[in-house]
Amino acid sequence: MTSRCVMVLGTTSGAGKSWLATALCRWYARRGLKVAPFKAQNMSNNARVVAGGEIGSAQYFQALAARAEPQVRMNPLLLKPEADTRSQVVLLGQVHPGLGDTPWRERSDKVWPVITQSLDALRAEHDVVVIEGAGSPAEINLMASDIVNLRVARHADARCLLVTDIDRGGAFAHLYGTWALMPAQDRARLAGFVLNRFRGDASLLAPAPEELQRLTGVPTVATLPMWWAHGLPEEDGFYDAGSDSMTAVDAQARTVAVVAYPRISNLDEFQPLRRLPGVRLRWARTPAQLEGAHTIVLPGSKATSADLAWLRAQGLDAAIVRHANAGRPVLGICGGLQMLGEALVDPHGIDGNAAGLGLLPLVTVFEPDKTVRRRETCFAPDVRGPWAALSGVPVAGYEIHHGRTAPHPSLVAAGDVPQAVLPDDMAWQNAAGNVLGCYVHGLFEDDRVLQALYGAGVPTLDSVFDGLADYVDRYFSPGFLAGLIEP
């Protein structure tokens, strides 16, 4: 293995590891190098379908930034939280029930061989592997069972960056404390500190970077200004929670309110709406936040029945039904589709039984097997109501769900028949046409759908990746990134 490994560590979750790793993937790829991303273990309900199963969305986008085909080895272990104390375990793209029942610390020894095999295979096939850590490498309660931070850095002989979010305050203490808690052999791998999301005059930081280098021997190699609109989806975070997001002030903008229940999944697929002219994206957790919305979206969920119960407890169910009964557009995606039906039936103890919202004459039966597949399909030529613009429009996306949904037999017998608008039981709408349920994730990531619904598109992902690479090129110390991969 001759590849060089560059690893992005963070002082905390949310410090900026994912987007920085994505930027580095494109920066090195633009130099003609064969690049791959890697994250040993990711905890996220944002996932994408690739050959062999599913991986975390961050590694999916990093692979695209690296101009590489996304694959399961890039994120061999994916944990998808189902409750505060339980996660579904996905190993090399496939659900592994046995590991889900294994205590956290005992799991490490079982999965470490798979992690090292995946990393070694990527190193054998690429010039550079950009590795992302998780949380903080200084979690001293987890160091003995670490499989994602320092243990990976040692195995890969990686040169490491440590990034911190200076906008939160305490950045220099975070950097110094993280360095101080790391074993001496691992401190030696730190090639530079990175200050992320800085607002203000960078000259006012002095003499802190110099003093920090005196204490640790590690230079501060980049101060990255706050950049709100870089275009990359924020992993596992509501980047604009509690507020509306628009690209420009527009009194005529249509508000799309996405219900943000506790176990929301694949929230990153709504990122394009944040940048779409004439559209205001709003995350809604209360009935008041649904008021005035043009469209209400029920997104995917990792725990559909539990999130449906939460939705009812907040009074959101009544607000959604009122919106639908007024003839205004409602969209349910994956778990949201299941919620829109009459009933959720769970004979195998997968998710839980529940009554649906009753806005589509459908019933969902949860099954042990999980549907994980990419889809290239086309809407029917006769989509009705507010969604009529989708008639005949091609769409590319993916499915990740338990359960199969079908028309409710007794309601169909009574004459309440949903209209199928995608083949293979992937989407239906009600008789009025304003309520649409769809199993395909990624509608708003498809420019053909955006053009049909809103008459506008957003910058391509490729241009977003190039923008990230230009950004780090501008703000990192000259020659530093190239020097990271020198022998």
Side-chain angles (χ1 to χ4, degrees), residues 342 360-363 406-419 428:
E342 289 289 331
L360 288 173
L362 304 170
V363 61
H408 194 293
S410 61
L411 292 175
V412 169
D416 190 2
V417 182
Q419 179 188 6
W428 294 267

Side-chain angles (χ1 to χ4, degrees), residues 179-486:
W179 174 88
L181 288 172
M182 291 171 60
Q185 62 171 321
D186 299 308
R187 293 179 193 167
R189 298 190 180 280
L190 289 177
F193 294 139
V194 177
L195 300 172
N196 188 30
R197 303 191 185 113
F198 178 73
R199 291 192 268 194
D201 182 353
S203 66
L204 298 178
L205 293 172
E210 294 77 11
E211 179 66 11
L212 187 63
Q213 183 170 359
R214 185 189 68 79
L215 291 169
T216 66
V218 181
T220 297
V221 295
T223 299
L224 305 176
M226 178 70 78
W227 187 13
W228 295 104
H230 51 66
L232 189 70
E234 294 289 323
E235 188 181 37
D236 290 341
F238 299 105
Y239 195 69
D240 48 7
S243 63
D244 294 341
S245 174
M246 286 180 55
T247 55
V249 176
D250 183 354
Q252 303 302 314
R254 287 185 283 179
T255 297
V256 177
V258 181
V259 180
Y261 18 76
R263 300 297 171 192
I264 187 173
S265 66
N266 297 82
L267 62 88
D268 54 338
E269 66 180 304
F270 303 108
Q271 168 71 16
L273 296 178
R274 296 187 66 248
R275 310 185 73 195
L276 198 64
V279 172
R280 177 187 292 111
L281 175 64
R282 177 185 298 164
W283 301 108
R285 293 186 176 92
T286 67
Q289 290 171 323
L290 296 181
E291 292 295 325
H294 175 273
T295 304
I296 292 177
V297 179
L298 278 69
S301 167
K302 192 63 190 70
T304 306
S305 296
D307 276 345
L308 185 53
W310 173 88
L311 185 149
R312 285 193 165 102
Q314 310 308 309
L316 288 161
D317 57 333
I320 294 166
V321 170
R322 284 196 301 270
H323 182 96
N325 288 343
R328 294 194 287 270
V330 176
L331 171 65
I333 300 174
C334 196
L337 156 65
Q338 296 171 345
M339 293 182 190
L340 290 175
E342 289 289 331
L344 306 174
V345 181
D346 187 12
H348 304 287
I350 304 298
D351 193 282
N353 298 303
L357 297 177
L359 294 176
L360 288 173
L362 304 170
V363 61
T364 296
V365 179
F366 292 111
E367 299 176 343
D369 292 337
K370 189 177 187 180
T371 299
V372 179
R373 58 188 173 187
R374 301 173 76 168
R375 301 303 302 244
E376 180 79 38
T377 185
C378 187
F379 279 97
D382 55 349
V383 181
R384 300 189 300 260
W387 304 102
L390 293 175
S391 297
V393 173
V395 61
Y398 57 99
E399 291 182 71
I400 304 178
H401 60 89
H402 281 285
R404 296 190 180 277
T405 301
H408 194 293
S410 61
L411 292 175
V412 169
D416 190 2
V417 182
Q419 179 188 6
V421 294
L422 284 178
D424 303 328
D425 295 335
M426 285 191 291
W428 294 267
Q429 65 178 165
N430 63 346
N434 64 307
V435 180
L436 173 65
C438 180
Y439 263 127
V440 178
H441 288 282
L443 293 181
F444 298 117
E445 295 177 320
D446 193 311
D447 193 65
R448 296 167 295 187
V449 171
L450 293 180
Q451 291 289 346
L453 290 177
Y454 303 108
V458 296
T460 65
L461 273 175
D462 212 51
S463 67
V464 169
F465 299 143
D466 280 334
L468 294 176
D470 290 341
Y471 190 71
V472 296
D473 194 52
R474 186 179 311 125
Y475 290 108
F476 268 81
S477 299
F480 176 80
L481 294 178
L484 276 180
I485 60 171
E486 291 177 354

